[in-house]
Amino acid sequence: MVQEMERGAFSWGEIDTQAESWAGALAAATASRGAVRQLFGDGGRVLFIGCGSTHYLAQFAAPFFQAVTGRPSCGLPSSELLLQTDTVVAAGERPVVVALSRSGETSESIMAMEKMRALGCQGLTISCYGETGLSAASDMTITIPEGREKSFAQTRSFAGMLVAAQAVAALVAKDEALLAELAALPGLAADLIARARPLARRWGEDASIQRITYLGSGWLYGVASEATVKMKEMSLSMAEPYHFMEFRHGPMSLVDREHLVVALVSERARDYELAVLRDLQERGARIVAVANDTRGLEAFDDALALDAPVSERAHPVLYLPVVQLMAYYRSMARGLNPDRPRNVVMAIKLTCTEMDA
């Protein structure tokens, strides 16, 4: 029994206490209000980069930033910016680069930032640590110590950095209403996590499920991608992300009763997304839907309402507890340790082209 309690204890605690990271992220970003606005200037494209989970965070942050600020933005792996620069940045272009990194020591992100700074670009790091190789390569760093973790799989850190990226967008846009909504989020966490646990356990422990697809569109595609990598890392399960409408184009052939679809339902495209889910259900998929309310979700296998009294722009971090807990419970049910996923390390560091042991 002692061994069972110890296994997964870090992940459980870090998921459960992530509201501290949400609050810390907002405080850290707003404390740098003037410096953030000065760094981003008045225009130009913004690149969000990261590795692993923070690459998926970049997939979220770029479309979110563009929607809030009106500035063109792109999210991509740090390695692509480093090694395929001319496929990303036009000759003479000087985009602002935002590097997302839990540790601040991932070699690809450091090298990509150094390269872009040498080309004359401004650089911002969002991290859980301050004095790092990445912070040294950047013009400024937003540090979220409340996001630090002992587990290797990112949960609390990812959530904090996501809120920080949202706050940066709000600061650049001078959107005080969005900042106020982000400030309300930590107060929603305890109830949401408590309501998410039974659903996450029910589906996470279901051994009949052989494949899992996470659906999310717009900025929620990045969240769906992160949900996928959490399930892969923690439980060694077959999982993949898709945009809602894209899943009809070929991947729908995979659907049967062994296939679980976890749908991160938006408000802006809700009718289209629910139509996709009905099609999948007719073909045998089991459907778990997460949305701000349960309108139209009654016919699916399960549903969780976020019940958030804030606009859709402030919802994204609220989808994380249930998908993180689902991966946690599946890992535990398989006898694995979600704190130490197989072959996963805290940060990838390179010597020349080789990964350090």
Side-chain angles (χ1 to χ4, degrees):
M1 178 60 70
V2 172
Q3 184 179 358
E4 185 70 16
M5 290 176 64
E6 291 176 351
R7 181 168 59 93
F10 291 148
S11 295
W12 177 265
E14 288 156 4
I15 294 169
D16 195 49
T17 61
Q18 65 183 279
E20 298 171 6
S21 183
W22 306 356
L26 182 60
T30 54
S32 301
R33 181 184 300 258
V36 167
R37 288 174 177 163
Q38 182 177 2
L39 183 143
F40 280 86
D42 297 324
R45 197 158 67 110
V46 179
L47 303 181
F48 291 85
I49 63 171
C51 302
S53 284
T54 53
H55 164 219
Y56 304 126
L57 181 53
Q59 289 182 334
F60 162 80
F64 185 87
F65 187 91
Q66 181 168 307
V68 172
T69 68
R71 291 175 60 166
S73 303
C74 177
L76 68 158
S78 300
S79 57
E80 290 294 292
L81 183 58
L82 172 66
L83 302 175
Q84 311 288 345
T85 311
D86 60 349
T87 70
V88 179
V89 181
E93 185 186 10
R94 297 293 180 265
V96 175
V97 180
V98 181
L100 307 158
S101 174
R102 171 174 58 177
S103 68
E105 297 294 355
T106 302
S107 295
E108 294 144 79
S109 294
I110 295 170
M111 290 188 290
M113 183 65 85
E114 289 174 341
K115 184 173 187 177
M116 297 310 293
R117 289 287 307 288
L119 293 175
C121 297
Q122 296 283 96
L124 167 68
T125 287
I126 298 175
S127 179
C128 297
Y129 295 85
E131 301 300 321
T132 66
L134 187 53
S135 65
S138 305
D139 291 283
M140 66 172 294
T141 300
I142 293 173
T143 306
I144 312 161
E146 297 86 353
R148 295 173 186 172
E149 295 160 326
K150 294 182 179 179
S151 56
F152 287 179
Q154 296 190 37
T155 55
R156 185 169 64 189
S157 63
F158 184 94
M161 288 185 288
L162 185 148
V163 172
Q166 290 181 292
V168 166
L171 290 169
V172 173
K174 299 182 179 179
D175 191 331
E176 295 299 325
L178 177 54
L179 290 172
E181 290 187 322
L182 296 177
L185 295 177
L188 307 177
D191 173 69
L192 175 63
I193 292 171
R195 291 188 293 107
R197 284 186 193 124
L199 180 149
R201 184 166 194 167
R202 187 158 54 246
W203 294 100
E205 293 182 350
D206 189 334
S208 69
I209 294 168
Q210 299 301 309
R211 298 178 304 283
I212 306 167
T213 296
Y214 294 88
L215 299 181
S217 295
W219 55 60
L220 288 179
Y221 178 72
V223 179
S225 297
E226 167 60 11
T228 298
V229 80
K230 282 290 90 63
M231 184 61 75
K232 288 179 178 178
E233 286 178 333
M234 286 186 171
S235 73
L236 307 182
S237 298
M238 296 298 295
E240 59 184 356
Y242 273 93
H243 297 86
F244 272 87
M245 303 288 281
E246 276 299 301
F247 197 72
R248 283 177 170 146
H249 296 272
M252 195 159 57
S253 62
L254 292 170
V255 166
D256 56 25
R257 292 303 291 170
E258 295 181 340
H259 198 129
L260 176 66
V261 174
V262 181
L264 310 183
V265 179
S266 71
E267 294 301 304
R268 58 176 58 195
R270 188 182 185 113
D271 291 345
Y272 285 95
E273 292 170 359
L274 295 188
V276 171
L277 297 183
R278 289 191 292 269
D279 286 345
L280 298 180
Q281 188 174 47
E282 287 176 4
R283 288 158 176 78
R286 287 183 277 180
I287 308 291
V288 173
V290 185
N292 197 46
D293 60 72
T294 56
R295 289 176 294 115
L297 309 185
E298 298 84 0
F300 301 133
D301 296 88
D302 219 335
L304 177 70
L306 303 178
D307 285 336
V310 291
S311 76
E312 183 176 19
R313 298 185 304 169
H315 291 170
V317 78
L318 301 177
Y319 291 88
L320 290 176
V322 64
V323 296
Q324 292 169 348
L325 285 166
M326 195 176 296
Y328 167 86
Y329 281 119
R330 190 166 176 88
S331 176
M332 296 295 284
R334 289 186 160 198
L336 303 170
N337 184 356
D339 296 342
R340 295 291 182 268
R342 188 174 71 188
N343 299 331
V344 173
V345 296
M346 188 69 78
I348 300 293
K349 299 182 182 181
L350 304 179
T351 299
C352 297
T353 61
E354 303 299 318
M355 187 174 79
D356 292 349

